[in-house]
Amino acid sequence: MELHTERLCLRPYTNDLAERVAELAGDEAVAATTFVPHPYTLEVAEDWIALHKDWIEKGAAYPLAMILKESNELVGTMTLRVDEKHHKGELAYWVGKPYWNLGYATEAAIRVVDFGFEELELNRIWSAAITSNPGSTKVMQKAGLSYEGTLKQDIYHWGEYKDIDVYGRIKNVG
């Protein structure tokens, strides 16, 4: 399974990407603004990648490597977690700090949202971001998700309770 955008190939992870995952996801700046665990070691990356084949085969989740077509570099992850019973999916992602503010997450999110609605026939796709991460909020908005609310002090992250902004979209509704 591969999805393509103008600049990206979105494809399942392979073991050879584990070191780069640990490097990018292990950056404290990435962990500070996302739900990515910290520290993020090579072992954590390998264990995570080992789960993907089963998830994809079962249709439970589609964790896709965001690979630059031009250079074959891993820039981040775009995942769609599927709740089959309720016909909905959760969009989750992170981008390595060297690739921030270049539009890769938006490009990938738009493609994966389309995949969720068109190919998986989901009824709803939602996503959440720590309120202090406006970059992530912009990605969700550009992918067609609308603000639905803020969950006050919803997570305990790095020693403090943080608010989460939730965005969503219903199939065939803007």
Side-chain angles (χ1 to χ4, degrees), residues 29-151:
V30 171
T33 58
T34 66
F35 307 109
V36 172
H38 189 75
Y40 202 100
T41 63
L42 178 58
E43 183 181 6
V44 170
E46 289 171 339
D47 290 348
W48 178 65
I49 290 170
L51 299 169
H52 293 186
K53 185 174 187 250
D54 188 51
W55 291 345
I56 291 170
E57 285 175 1
K58 289 179 178 173
Y62 297 86
L64 302 174
M66 296 168 47
I67 306 289
L68 289 178
K69 288 180 177 178
E70 191 175 288
S71 62
N72 208 36
E73 289 173 75
L74 174 69
V75 300
T77 298
M78 187 62 58
T79 300
L80 186 61
R81 297 184 192 112
V82 177
D83 178 339
E84 193 174 330
K85 179 181 179 185
H86 298 289
H87 308 276
K88 66 181 178 177
E90 176 190 7
L91 193 66
Y93 47 89
W94 58 263
V95 174
K97 190 174 179 187
Y99 308 100
W100 286 3
N101 300 311
L102 297 173
Y104 296 126
T106 297
E107 196 172 310
I110 290 168
R111 181 63 185 94
V112 171
V113 166
D114 287 345
F115 167 74
F117 285 134
E118 294 168 12
E119 295 175 50
L120 299 180
E121 299 182 353
L122 299 174
N123 180 61
R124 171 176 160 70
I125 294 176
W126 67 279
S127 191
I130 297 171
T131 301
S132 59
N133 184 355
S136 189
T137 297
K138 286 178 188 167
V139 168
M140 291 183 269
Q141 291 169 337
K142 289 177 181 177
L145 280 64
S146 300
Y147 176 75
E148 295 183 339
T150 298
L151 305 177

Side-chain angles (χ1 to χ4, degrees), residues 4 11 23 27 37 49 55 61 108 112:
H4 294 273
R11 62 172 176 78
E23 180 184 334
D27 186 320
I49 290 170
W55 291 345
V112 171

